[in-house]
Amino acid sequence: MFVIFGATGHAGRLTAIRLREAGLPVRAVVRRADQAKEFTALGCEIAFADLADLTSVAKAIEGAQAVQMICPVPSGHADPEYAMRTMIDVAVQALRANPPPHVLAISDYGAELDMNTGITGLFHYLEQQFCVSLPRLTLLRSAEHMHNWRRVIPVALATGVLPSLHHPVTRRFPAVAAQDVGALSAALLQEGPPVGATRIVSIESTTRISPADVARVLQQETGREIVAREVPRDQWSAVLTRAGLSGKHAQLIMDLYDAQNAGHIDFEAGVTAHRFGTTALADVLAPLVRHAAPHAQ
């Protein structure tokens, strides 16, 4: 049984689909009954679990041949760092008590860094905890998801300006489509556990992108003039809190982009296997534009 946490996300959903296409048994872990229908239709077994609840996580992994673990940053929480660390600790406790033959944990570019990297620092904590607790472990480090631009696409469509915390807007950085992460995860799970040391695999798109590239694609999709513009550093906090984020969440994001803009977060050469997703930026952004366009009028 392949147990997929985060099955309702872009990456987790694709992992479940690919494993089912291969005829493999999948247990999709969801939080609510209304999320189960699509996975039942795929032929998945359903488990209900809250990553902050040890009992439900332990029950979800019973009988697992392999477990894909995704610990998402809880965006609606007043203190997302505390909440995510709690989820990581719960996951480790459950997996250590009943270790499956293989655990694959979704991590982040830059997770190897022992420094203040904001959100990426939470994945550093995840890797530390998993590595000392689980002997048959694959860490799949993902570059920044292209889907993250969905948050500011409505602003770009309404104003013609794509706001960016990436500085400068012409600098290209590693990014990847979430579905490529899910597809690679499914392939690695089918390969089985590593022999010996923890296996670390990183994935990004074949082409690195810049905010200017994102604006160019949005312009092509809409026929409107759209330009990328840096949000001044001293305005970041106000912009993020106006968007509904807590002060602590905003700080995690600011620390992350400070580290990115300083060039600290990238592929860790010489340590990880480097894989590449094939989904183009335009293929990710086009449906996001179609969804956002009616709301940007």
Side-chain angles (χ1 to χ4, degrees):
M1 180 65 70
F2 291 81
V3 178
I4 309 301
F5 285 85
T8 57
H10 292 291
R13 179 178 289 106
L14 213 290
T15 302
I17 289 171
R18 288 294 176 86
L19 291 173
R20 287 299 301 139
E21 288 175 346
L24 296 169
V26 172
R27 181 181 300 149
V29 183
V30 300
R31 294 191 64 179
R32 305 188 311 269
D34 62 295
Q35 297 171 323
K37 184 176 180 181
E38 66 173 307
F39 298 103
T40 301
L42 287 172
C44 297
E45 181 180 309
I46 304 298
F48 296 97
D50 181 337
L51 275 171
D53 178 69
L54 178 60
T55 300
S56 63
V57 173
K59 184 173 178 59
I61 67 172
E62 288 179 357
Q65 171 185 345
V67 173
Q68 174 179 288
M69 183 60 64
I70 299 176
C71 291
V73 180
S75 58
H77 199 281
D79 190 347
E81 178 174 1
Y82 169 80
M84 185 168 168
R85 284 177 177 264
T86 297
M87 290 190 292
I88 293 166
D89 292 342
V90 166
V92 167
Q93 188 174 347
L95 292 166
R96 190 166 49 204
N98 185 18
H102 187 196
V103 174
L104 184 149
I106 303 295
S107 187
D108 200 20
Y109 266 41
E112 75 280 3
L113 299 172
D114 186 13
M115 58 184 289
N116 183 16
T117 55
I119 288 173
T120 295
L122 299 177
F123 290 97
H124 177 72
Y125 179 74
L126 179 150
E127 291 196 3
Q128 284 185 315
Q129 300 307 306
F130 276 51
C131 284
V132 300
S133 303
L134 305 171
R136 295 176 293 276
L137 174 66
T138 296
L139 295 171
L140 177 52
R141 290 181 184 161
S142 167
E144 181 177 314
H145 284 192
M146 297 174 185
H147 288 84
N148 289 350
W149 289 97
R150 72 185 182 277
R151 302 164 186 158
V152 293
I153 285 177
V155 175
L157 299 187
T159 67
V161 175
L162 178 74
S164 173
L165 303 187
H166 284 282
H167 293 184
V169 295
T170 55
R171 185 173 70 87
R172 288 189 164 89
F173 59 90
V176 69
Q179 58 262 41
D180 288 339
V181 178
L184 177 56
S185 179
L188 293 171
L189 287 169
Q190 290 178 80
E191 287 178 13
V195 177
T198 295
R199 172 174 54 182
I200 306 176
V201 182
S202 295
I203 182 169
E204 62 179 275
S205 173
T206 53
T207 303
R208 294 193 166 193
I209 68 171
S210 70
D213 295 325
V214 175
R216 193 175 304 115
V217 170
L218 296 182
Q219 183 166 299
Q220 292 168 349
E221 291 294 326
T222 62
R224 309 177 197 176
E225 182 179 0
I226 297 176
V227 296
R229 190 167 297 163
E230 298 169 9
V231 178
R233 177 64 178 79
D234 60 3
Q235 296 178 19
W236 286 8
S237 180
V239 167
L240 292 168
T241 52
R242 279 201 305 270
L245 299 182
S246 69
K248 289 184 177 181
H249 195 173
Q251 190 61 55
L252 286 173
I253 291 176
M254 290 190 291
D255 291 342
L256 167 62
Y257 279 95
D258 281 338
Q260 286 185 328
N261 293 339
H264 295 308
I265 295 179
D266 209 322
F267 164 70
E268 188 184 13
V271 175
T272 72
H274 207 179
R275 304 288 181 89
F276 296 92
T278 58
T279 304
L281 178 64
D283 293 331
V284 173
L285 296 185
L288 299 179
V289 169
R290 289 194 296 270
H291 177 75
H295 308 286
Q297 301 300 322

